Amino acid sequence: MFDLTKQVVKKSKKEVVFKVITSFFCQGLLLIMPIYWSDVINHLTEANYHKAYYLIIVLILLSILYYIWAYFNQKAWYLLYNKLYLGYTDIVLKDNNNINKVKLGEYTNILNTDIDIICTFLGNIIIRIIQILEFFVIYAYFLSLNIYIFLITLIISIFMVVILLLTGKNVQKANMIRKSALDDKTITTHNLYDNLIKKSNNKVKILNKFNKENITYLKENYKYNILALTIIYIILGCIELARYGLIFYGIYLISIGNMEIGTIVLIYTYYSKILTNFENLGTISADYRSFIVSLKRLNYIRDN
């Protein structure tokens, strides 16, 4: 099933390398800057204003550098997306052995929607992998800071990943039903258009069928999106509670002189990163299911 993807990605090596480099720089800067902010807070509490001013200047330079790399990263994404999109489209147009088994509405959705879903997923997967690597950097920092902060973060993370894995198949099933409903709606839309052009007597019948399938699609689209969002919100809510629990613990450590104020700011910031990354993981879990469904539909046209 992934042979087509390997073939297309192989022809996009230059764009992939460009995206990897820009993504590493962007995400690396986002991990480094909070450390400087933490040091600024520590210097302020010690009335060391000269060093605080110096670090603010460093942060300004890093911020400028980040936005420069963010620009190139966004540019790299679109270059990769366009190359992948053209590659998939070219292959599907030339290699379509099962085209007679696919209805016009389904074929239209495959060429327009499914290829877009596949290319968007592949364009995003690079930075998502880097974001997963960020977890290990953050965990390593927490381990060097305090064993309990590390263990709580690790246990919560593992628990959230298990939830994502257990609910993944349900999300994929809901997405397949949604896509099938969209295919039916698109087919009926084409029939409706033909009847309107020809001024056929079946117009009322086709309109009723279109309205019925439109409502069906909206219901399935609602079920799919609410299911995916519910899973993400449960995960983010649990991580948010863990963050504030650790902030309470951090305040206790500060009160007994075992932690600097700047460190608690860094914990809060890194937990924000964990929240963002888990939100992306929740999205990528749903996106991966959509990617697989779209890839199967696209490969069906090509199978002998």
Side-chain angles (χ1 to χ4, degrees), residues 81-96:
Y81 174 88
N82 291 347
K83 189 68 178 284
L84 294 171
Y85 198 103
L86 291 173
Y88 276 108
T89 303
D90 183 61
I91 290 174
V92 172
L93 290 176
K94 292 178 179 177
D95 187 4
N96 45 33

Side-chain angles (χ1 to χ4, degrees), residues 173-232:
K173 183 179 178 181
N175 190 34
M176 289 180 71
I177 295 171
R178 180 181 69 99
K179 280 185 172 292
S180 178
L182 179 60
D183 287 339
D184 292 339
K185 176 190 169 185
T186 306
I187 292 167
T188 306
T189 302
H190 289 157
N191 291 335
L192 176 61
Y193 176 79
D194 290 338
N195 277 271
L196 290 173
I197 291 294
K198 296 174 184 177
K199 297 181 180 180
S200 171
N201 294 328
N202 292 328
K203 184 174 73 172
V204 175
K205 183 179 178 181
I206 295 294
L207 275 172
N208 290 335
K209 186 178 180 184
F210 173 80
N211 289 331
K212 181 181 177 182
E213 290 180 353
N214 194 36
I215 291 170
T216 300
Y217 167 71
L218 290 173
K219 285 181 179 178
E220 298 304 332
N221 187 57
Y222 169 84
K223 289 179 184 177
Y224 164 73
N225 283 288
I226 291 299
L227 175 61
L229 286 172
T230 300
I231 294 165
I232 291 173

